[in-house]
Amino acid sequence: MKTAITGGAGFIGSHLVQYLLAAGDEVTALDNLSTGRLENLRDVIGHPRFHFVEGDILDRSAVDKVAVGATRVFHLAAAVGVNLIVEHPLESLRTNIHGTEVVLDSVLANGASLLLASTSEIYGKNTSDRLSEEADRILGSTLKSRWTYAAAKGIDEAFAHAYWREFGLRVAIVRLFNTVGPRQTGRYGMVVPRLVKQAIAGEPLTVYGDGKQTRCFSYVGDIVPAITGISEKTSAYGNAYNLGGSHEVSILALAERIVELLGSDSDIRFVPYQEAYADGYEDMRRRVPDNSKARELVGFDPQTTLDQIIRSVAADYRPNGKPDPVQWKGTMVAN
Ligand code: UDP
């Protein structure tokens, strides 16, 4: 299969590149290297079935370059990470709304199918026990940048859905809940790489607010095979699927576990939100996915434990720079 991946040099994109090359695909990655890094692709540069295009999703000719001749496109390029979104709201809106429109148009014109990466952020402040794909979205003020990100990704989904209904574009949507693993950087806010790095350096672990807010972290090795599986199901077109971890943990408990597991001497420091983030931030108290729709479609059953996730992220910070290989979960689909 000929596959194109926007955001292919990013954290999830680069793992997807490796997974699909191993499955036999010819893979072209498009990335503007703003948050993605060529370093993430060091194991595949020079691979006979891998191609890299440096370019922006706002540039139709760059997107066309990778979409022409592709059987399927994975659209992962986006402005992500709470810090980036809160500090650069305009860039985030342009990339996430207009960039996605460019990708949709190009994929439609080139006759490929599309897998759109969306986010659990779209559910906003809905703290329900299990968020199903039909759950209500509860967003805060438009004056807070965090919610404009959630709104932008919601618009992306609405665009994708409309392209499916009106033009028959074969597009499926996945909503990712706090995916974690090697190569994820803490620079844009993500909590696990930040706390792991702090624990290894012997610095205080920064827990924002009271630390009682919860998340369900998922491992990139569980997520990538599921995204791929969903992209291959015709019944997924016009549909959205949650992909998240199965274990809910508070951020304080996460910090404590990281300290214990890594044998760190670090303390835990509570940091008020006003100190941690620029204006425009508001937290979600809880975010728990209902994964049953993806389980029914592709057997999604994330088994990687929080301890395994923490260890795999910690291995990324080893001084010799040799992270553990990602363990793929589920059956590899041979193309
Ligand atoms: N967080 C924290 N310390 C940090 C970074 C983040 O306590 O150094 C908190 C953050 O306020 C949020 C949770 O960890 O409650 C998850 O943050 P992240 O940005 O990773 O993901 P998201 O908020 O998008 O779920």
Side-chain angles (χ1 to χ4, degrees):
M1 219 186 276
K2 281 185 99 173
T3 297
I5 303 174
T6 73
F11 155 52
I12 301 176
S14 63
H15 287 295
L16 184 61
V17 166
Q18 272 179 283
Y19 181 76
L20 292 177
L21 284 173
D25 279 22
E26 173 144 8
V27 180
T28 305
L30 173 71
D31 204 297
N32 68 1
L33 301 178
S34 58
T35 56
R37 293 176 298 167
L38 276 181
E39 171 71 9
N40 290 341
L41 294 168
R42 69 178 167 187
D43 294 341
V44 297
I45 298 277
H47 189 293
R49 280 184 281 106
F50 177 66
H51 319 278
F52 179 75
V53 173
E54 183 174 345
D56 203 295
I57 52 167
L58 291 167
D59 173 4
R60 173 67 188 260
S61 63
V63 178
D64 278 345
K65 236 188 236 173
V66 303
V68 168
T71 326
R72 61 176 164 187
V73 175
F74 290 84
H75 177 37
L76 270 62
V80 292
V82 170
N83 287 359
L84 186 73
I85 289 150
V86 169
E87 280 159 31
H88 302 282
L90 196 54
E91 181 192 333
S92 151
L93 280 170
R94 284 205 181 114
T95 304
N96 294 342
I97 298 182
H98 190 51
T100 296
E101 255 190 288
V102 171
V103 171
L104 285 163
D105 273 336
S106 172
V107 172
L108 181 68
N110 286 292
S113 65
L114 181 67
L115 190 292
L116 175 80
S118 183
T119 166
S120 56
E121 287 271 326
I122 63 130
Y123 296 113
K125 296 191 260 190
N126 188 332
T127 55
S128 119
D129 243 5
R130 298 261 157 225
L131 291 162
S132 80
E133 286 80 356
E134 304 291 327
D136 286 337
R137 304 171 54 213
I138 306 175
L139 304 188
S141 162
T142 51
L143 299 178
K144 293 206 161 110
S145 323
R146 181 170 200 159
W147 305 122
T148 54
Y149 171 71
K153 293 301 279 191
I155 291 284
D156 282 356
E157 289 200 20
F159 261 120
H161 203 68
Y163 271 66
W164 153 251
R165 289 186 58 151
E166 294 187 30
F167 301 131
L169 180 72
R170 294 168 297 138
V171 53
I173 297 164
V174 291
R175 296 182 186 148
L176 305 179
F177 286 64
N178 296 84
T179 311
V180 181
R183 298 187 196 142
Q184 185 179 42
T185 162
R187 206 176 316 146
Y188 308 107
M190 281 75 163
V191 67
V192 174
R194 283 176 57 81
L195 299 189
V196 165
K197 202 173 170 191
Q198 291 162 346
I200 290 173
E203 295 164 6
L205 272 64
T206 53
V207 169
Y208 300 158
D210 62 8
K212 289 186 183 149
Q213 67 273 32
T214 67
R215 296 293 186 272
C216 296
F217 295 98
S218 60
Y219 178 57
V220 69
D222 286 312
I223 295 300
V224 161
I227 295 177
T228 305
I230 290 170
S231 80
E232 288 165 0
K233 298 280 184 193
T234 48
S235 61
Y237 300 143
N239 268 306
Y241 297 87
N242 289 337
L243 293 174
S246 43
H247 175 65
E248 183 178 8
V249 65
S250 74
I251 301 303
L252 177 57
L254 169 74
E256 288 168 346
R257 191 66 196 138
I258 288 173
V259 168
E260 194 181 335
L261 204 61
L262 303 184
S264 168
D265 298 329
S266 294
D267 297 324
I268 287 172
R269 184 161 75 88
F270 289 92
V271 179
Y273 287 120
Q274 307 89 279
E275 213 180 285
Y277 296 102
D279 282 350
Y281 180 80
E282 191 177 353
D283 205 2
M284 278 103 168
R285 293 302 290 170
R286 180 172 200 226
R287 201 154 63 190
V288 181
D290 177 346
N291 288 320
S292 51
K293 202 170 157 188
R295 189 179 318 121
E296 273 156 38
L297 187 73
V298 293
F300 179 62
D301 181 23
Q303 291 291 337
T304 311
T305 63
L306 186 63
D307 284 6
Q308 289 168 320
I309 292 176
I310 294 169
R311 283 204 186 92
S312 89
V313 172
D316 219 16
Y317 292 107
R318 277 184 195 143
N320 68 8
K322 267 264 167 235
D324 295 338
V326 166
Q327 305 295 314
W328 303 119
K329 301 299 155 74
T331 324
M332 181 167 288
V333 199
N335 297 310

